[in-house]
């Protein structure tokens, strides 16, 4: 595949994107059958944020951030930039200048399978970034990649327009066509969990609420009074 | 060993457990001759906490958190759950629902050699967790393990009822029968350190306070004015 | 090389050291042609700090912090201690007692290619430390190393008297003789960036500000409307 | 996506698959513009082999190899099994019994983003496996996955029917539809390299053969006689 | 616990130890319910060996191999030395001189949660070592540890006299008292596998031999002809 | 420092270089007081080789092997190429074409803090390479570095003309000016070890040969008959 920039991508409905963001990564990940999670080495530069948006993607090469300068030309308000790299790399590909530009264009955050820098400035600007490293090391602009093609980022496949949900637990990718369905499954899960939470807080045991006792027994779990008794 | 749950374990005296918690991991670890520390990949989900309690243990398998649902049935107020896994795994085995239940049963915290999730909710609830990863990835309930048997967690052996001390420096295990003795050694250490701290703050050198100069000289350390002079 | 302590080292001008500190690691690293950065596994114990100072160095061995007790005898106000270790090690070689002493002698921070402990106390004292690990594990005082010789720390060569700049993005070493020149290059870079920042914030694209469009075209980048169109 | 097994997939032409295998991973990877390489943690159980075949894929969960038992029912002679896992896992999911079955069905090898075991037996049988770990730890058969859906394996997207090329340098995925084109590009590359090889062996410099001198000079490379002269 | 050397330990029966060695780590690990495996970072210095013996243990500190010199005084013919370290360390604690001594005393091999060196000589001598690293870096003899106390080695608890089985798939620990029972379970497993192996080699599918089809169907696995048909 | 190529470097005496090569890395490393070893992630592509030579160095950037093409122009017969990279990188920077050229110019081997490829061909050619990774991923020729300047490679400082000794235990750097002195220390060490080896092989204990018993006793080591006796 040559080096291309795809201008026009489809996105999910705004209300669905926002709804998935409110559910958070743990719920969304369960709601799509525990698929689509990036590897846990992806960590937020600052904690306490939860964002969702449409993926605008870039494929780059180690030590080269040229394509990150093309993203703001192509992205729309509400997008999240997702950057894959063709080899493991921790260079600081993104800093406060790019963040200023991304913010000005309405981009909500960055997911990058490499490093970022100016982390104190990003924190002050409240521009959220999930990366595999923080590193002052800058990059060159010499080798092309592509924008808005399917990319692998931290072990997950991201198609342009997929919904990205990110918080302190990591980053989940929801395929655009499945976003509504996953959102509905998440709602159901939340309702179910909300009831359980009250009962657990009141001191009931999950073993009873979820009727696990017979399954545990059938699987062979044995209760003994002391370890010695068992031997 | 088959899959068992041991209901009844012995615990150390409450006053000793609390005293060890006040000393913190660095002091306690020294006080027991630098033994019993979990590997430093165990990190707190949120910082600034120091807890101590009696270990209630579980052995689990990668991607399966079934045994974590048995713990609250068995644990007492003041316990800390300690979870070993039979292979390296970063799945989010523990989240805010389990934390609600653990809290309701008086469990003070969780030490898990795997991942946890709902980290923003855990932080808001102030339920402390030390884990090797944070990951939105959930788990199944299909394979039994055991509860309250000896487990290896992050490179340390934990017997049920051992005293766990955890803070931002990591997690230390104190064998139950040695808890009082370790606590006493820690007190002595604290007293000794307190005196040193004042003298160091006043500008005295540790070389003088601890009489290191002759030992350094005997070992062969040579002072030179400049590097050139030495060559 | 035997085990020596070098008493007297040359340092850069105070105004230059402070100026480099204000520029921060990302700017300084670019200003010296992207050289001299320690590996990104070096992380601050607490975030939000930016320091600069003259390197006082020590070479140590795994599990032995004896030489760290010699540093305060040799260091001057405004120095930063830089500790290399002869093999990979995560032991907590430095804690609040040493920090009390270092602070009393005017040492501004510590860069250590090993672990540190008492991280809650260090945070409360606001004594900044960059390390590869946080670990309660203490160390012995049995094997000599050297003080104020050239050391490798986290992949970077540090000569005594070199300028150290450290913040949340990592740790950069500036050779003493090049400090003024790097500082000047950093100033120019800051000025250039400041202008760009305003234009980016106002919505201009970096592609236009930096005239990248023709270079991208010459390199072969192709814009297409949709991915299908391209196939 | 629910748990499915897709029986029927398209494959590339046998002659192309064999041709790519003869070229090897380094050539094939270059021939498709340095895309499609799995991460370098994928290593062969025994060295000296080079295989190519059509990917039959499976998505599995950590510690569960159930889907690996479905693969031989679905695979054809000349296929290579490619197994992705939904989280990082090093369990020994594959051993000599499965290898016996795979071999009997004509499967040429296994690429697995987890561990394998019975490595001495696999070596004796000459059944090639590329994995991220070797581990005696076995797995259960309790959680479904899918067979012949697109999977991510060691950072690369693999669609069923894609061509897999594997040797001591790693594992490359060639999309089925591009296989012929990549093969042709590889042939050209080989021819070009063959000429270069003879000239290099005869003592000519690559700088001259590939006319790099002017490019290096234009980029600013300066030759000096000694380092001192440069200072 | 102070620094002690325990002279006298109990061992399993020689015939059981040899039998476990013939079964190999994968079978033994299954036979004891997938427990007791060291972490997979433990690798043999040279491949193709399978040994079993009684554990003689040592606890050491990073960079210090003093206790390894005590082992040959205490070990008997047929023992395997197992060395735990109090912190992660890759130093080359063991080389050809110690191997010469160990061999002279009848020690069959070494399992060390650190590094070893002289790997070419160890290979030539055929003295098998499993370690986490190979490193030329030597160590000092300054800090005591203990010999023949329980140790944690690569995530596994080893009591003196436990049976160690090691081959290219890793290292398994069998508690001494359970050795006979595990051996019997392994024999049964081998017989079962041997029958399966023939049928698999003849082209039968594991799905049929092990009657997995109904379980897969009950769990919800769906066969489709093509992926499109499923959507 | 700009991008330069230094043509002329000093080298150690050939007889010393060869002598160090015969001693091997473990002996040489001890002989220079356990300094100058590269990190143990540096592994040989094929085992069983021991080489020594004069370092010709290159500093490169991730994903760019341009400078590796300059090395054969500058190197002499008997040199070893040593390549540092400005950030962690596993790309296959070196393959059989470059190896053909290096061999034609008399270069004896390559030490590279990145990846290499064509590992099967390198093995067949018997051109030894020590690298941190093996990867089919190729690189570009777009960003300059330097040749024959001091570089950091795998945690060790290498000055052009330093003596490199490499074998299965790793890679050691001996500063050129110290080469003769280190060689002499190594000879002494070998003689001492040779005597010890015979006595150890004859069944004497190292405790006796090296008179360790009193030192162990003074340090506090206690022999007990059984663990119970001690409690």
């Amino acid at each position: 595949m040559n080096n291309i920039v795809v201008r026009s991508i489809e996105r999910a409905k705004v209300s669905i994107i926002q709804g998935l963001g409110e559910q958070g990564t743990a719920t969304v990940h369960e709601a799509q059958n525990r698929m689509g999670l990036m590897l846990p080495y992806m960590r937020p530069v600052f904690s306490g944020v939860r964002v969702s948006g449409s993926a605008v993607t870039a494929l780059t090469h180690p030590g080269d951030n040229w394509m990150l300068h093309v993203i703001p030309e192509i992205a729309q308000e509400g997008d999240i930039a997702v950057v894959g790299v063709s080899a493991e790399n921790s260079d600081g590909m993104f800093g406060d200048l790019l963040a200023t530009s991304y913010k000005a264009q309405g981009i909500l955050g960055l997911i990058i399978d490499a490093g970022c820098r100016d982390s104190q400035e990003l924190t002050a600007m409240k521009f959220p970034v999930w990366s595999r490293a923080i590193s002052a090391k800058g990059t060159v602009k010499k080798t092309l990649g592509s924008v808005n093609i399917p990319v692998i980022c931290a072990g997950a496949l991201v198609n342009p327009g997929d919904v990205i949900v990110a918080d302190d637990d990591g980053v989940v990718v929801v395929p655009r066509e499945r976003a509504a369905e996953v959102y509905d499954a998440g709602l159901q899960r939340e309702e179910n969990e909300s009831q359980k939470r009250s009962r657990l807080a009141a001191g009931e045991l999950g073993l009873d609420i979820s009727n696990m006792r017979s399954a545990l027994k059938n699987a062979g779990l044995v209760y003994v009074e002391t370890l010695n008794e068992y031997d």
Side-chain angles (χ1 to χ4, degrees), chain A residues 14-177:
Chain A
V14 170
S15 58
I16 297 293
I17 297 172
Q18 287 179 342
L20 288 165
E22 283 154 21
Q23 292 176 356
T25 57
T27 296
V28 169
H29 184 243
E30 291 284 351
Q32 67 177 340
N33 293 326
R34 301 201 309 276
M35 301 292 297
L37 186 69
M38 292 190 187
L39 289 167
Y41 62 67
M42 295 295 283
R43 301 301 304 145
V45 168
F46 54 94
S47 61
V49 182
R50 187 161 276 168
V51 298
S52 60
S54 299
V56 170
T57 67
L59 175 69
T60 64
H61 297 285
D64 198 303
N65 77 345
W66 214 4
M67 289 304 104
L68 274 74
H69 292 268
V70 177
I71 286 179
E73 183 192 29
I74 296 299
Q76 292 184 3
E77 200 167 326
D79 286 348
I80 291 180
V82 178
V83 178
V85 187
S86 64
E88 289 174 283
N89 187 247
S90 64
D91 291 352
M93 285 198 181
F94 182 91
D96 80 312
L97 278 186
L98 275 170
T100 302
S101 176
Y102 279 37
K103 213 169 177 179
Q105 308 298 330
I107 299 174
L108 299 180
L110 170 74
I111 316 293
I112 183 163
D113 198 357
C116 73
R117 59 180 183 172
D118 298 330
S119 53
Q120 284 161 294
E121 289 75 11
L122 295 176
T123 304
M125 291 170 66
K126 297 199 180 306
F127 186 84
V129 174
W130 284 254
S131 67
R132 74 183 300 158
I134 293 175
S135 167
K137 183 164 198 299
T139 48
V140 296
K141 292 165 193 60
K142 300 214 171 170
T143 305
L144 292 183
S146 289
V147 171
N148 274 340
I149 64 165
V151 296
I152 308 284
C153 181
L157 175 65
V158 185
N159 281 293
D162 283 350
V163 182
I164 301 296
V165 183
D167 56 24
D168 287 3
D169 287 348
V171 184
V172 179
V173 186
V174 182
R176 183 180 51 79
E177 323 82 49

Side-chain angles (χ1 to χ4, degrees), chain A residues 176-210:
Chain A
R176 183 180 51 79
E177 323 82 49
R178 299 197 54 221
E181 166 197 342
V182 170
Y183 173 61
D184 288 344
L187 283 183
Q188 244 175 330
R189 195 174 164 84
E190 285 188 323
E191 197 180 300
N192 177 28
E193 289 204 341
S194 159
Q195 294 173 354
K196 265 194 202 163
R197 192 174 290 110
S198 317
R199 294 176 65 182
L200 291 168
E204 272 190 87
L205 291 174
L207 294 184
D208 297 315
I209 298 175
S210 306

